[in-house]
Amino acid sequence: MSQIPYSRVKLARDSARPTGLDYITNLFPGFLEMHGDRRFADDPAVVGGLAWLNGMPVTVIAIEKGHTAKQRAARNFGAPNPEGYRKALRLMKQAEKFGRPVICFVDTSGAFCGIGAEERGQGQAIAENLLEMSTLCVPIVSILIGEGGSGGALALAAADRVWMLENAVYSVISPEGCASILWKDAAKADAAAASLKLTAQDAKQLGVIEEILSEEDLGKAEFYQSLRSQLWNQLKELNADPDLVAKRYDRFRRIGTGTLQG
């Protein structure tokens, strides 16, 4: 069994990898963070607010893992609670009201599955995001920068354009979780990863994403400069599209209709 997919999983989880806040800091000077879901609390696993991209006002939302053990614990290891998704939705609806495009950075092993999260409606929060994002009348670009796990990732990726970094992964379940279910042995995660087709190349072939972003200069000024230019060009194109919502609907209807090789 090939080890390559699981090696991508390990790269996606690397603590030295740029996180959502690194992207915000390097792409959007003057970022103004907004807090809270106006229902329960402020979830530190989700960072969002107002920013400017080459003078264009945008709403930016990122799932944040942190780098150090202390940061990761404070951010709940990038596993949002319902209030995190509701905060994101509040900011997206605000963006729609003021005509601002939405940019999301996704990096999570999945939504938090604790008892409190379930009691506060984790599944409903994710479902509401999917519903509202499907009809949001402003452009949405989502970028998977590390892990893209299950509905916890999809809740910020029902977008007009979905991009992935070349060593990011996107899957319905973690390889360890899949191996535990299928073989009752989490040690078979490498075999599960190969079966899940979770790499950026697999996602592109299936039509789940539009672009694979090179990691050649990951974390360097050149990388962020190139990404800023790509985002600017993409948002200009989407802003000019009068059939944005209908095409977003069609995009998700087409996913999986192609033939995956291998």
Side-chain angles (χ1 to χ4, degrees):
M1 187 66 67
S2 171
Q3 299 290 317
I4 294 177
Y6 196 54
S7 69
R8 293 285 175 93
V9 174
K10 292 178 180 178
L11 287 171
R13 293 172 175 170
D14 189 343
S15 62
R17 191 177 183 85
T19 65
L21 274 175
D22 293 321
Y23 283 83
I24 290 174
T25 300
N26 285 279
L27 289 172
F28 309 104
F31 172 70
L32 177 62
E33 185 175 358
M34 299 180 179
H35 298 273
D37 67 342
R38 301 298 187 266
R39 297 192 195 182
F40 181 75
D42 182 47
D43 186 352
V46 177
V47 177
L50 175 63
W52 288 264
L53 180 68
N54 295 344
M56 175 195 297
V58 295
T59 290
V60 181
I61 301 165
I63 299 177
E64 172 62 21
K65 280 185 175 179
H67 291 289
T68 67
K70 184 176 181 180
Q71 289 172 347
R72 291 198 161 200
R75 299 287 181 179
N76 203 32
F77 299 89
N81 279 281
E83 47 271 20
Y85 295 112
R86 289 174 179 140
K87 173 168 66 173
L89 181 57
R90 179 177 74 84
L91 295 177
M92 285 188 277
K93 296 299 288 183
Q94 181 191 78
E96 181 179 51
K97 178 178 179 179
F98 293 102
R100 295 193 297 263
V102 176
I103 302 170
C104 297
F105 296 97
V106 180
D107 185 13
T108 181
S109 60
F112 188 57
C113 56
I115 293 175
E118 297 300 330
E119 289 176 339
R120 296 193 301 277
Q122 184 72 285
Q124 182 184 32
I126 292 172
E128 286 178 346
N129 276 32
L130 297 176
L131 174 64
E132 295 291 345
M133 290 180 78
S134 69
T135 59
L136 206 70
C137 295
V138 291
I140 313 169
V141 175
S142 293
I143 307 174
L144 285 99
I145 59 174
E147 286 188 277
S150 192
L154 188 60
L156 291 182
D160 300 293
R161 299 289 185 272
V162 181
W163 300 345
M164 283 180 72
L165 270 69
E166 61 180 323
N167 289 317
V169 294
Y170 199 13
S171 176
V172 68
I173 192 173
S174 71
E176 294 83 2
C178 178
S180 296
I181 292 170
L182 292 182
W183 300 296
K184 310 301 180 185
D185 185 1
K188 293 185 178 180
D190 56 342
S195 300
L196 285 168
K197 304 296 183 183
L198 46 64
T199 69
Q201 291 73 22
D202 292 329
K204 178 74 182 295
Q205 195 168 0
L206 278 170
V208 174
I209 66 170
E210 279 75 28
E211 296 290 340
I212 299 174
L213 304 177
S214 171
E215 296 190 15
E216 182 178 359
D217 296 315
L218 184 64
K220 297 181 181 178
E222 295 84 356
F223 171 80
Y224 293 115
Q225 182 177 354
S226 174
L227 181 55
R228 186 184 298 110
S229 177
Q230 288 174 275
L231 283 169
W232 171 251
N233 290 331
Q234 184 65 84
L235 290 177
K236 283 198 302 181
E237 177 186 324
L238 292 172
N239 266 327
D241 192 338
D243 300 317
L244 194 67
V245 174
K247 289 181 179 178
R248 188 183 306 144
Y249 174 84
D250 290 340
R251 177 195 183 278
F252 282 91
R253 292 286 292 176
R254 289 196 306 270
I255 287 178
T257 57
T259 301
L260 182 64
Q261 301 297 321

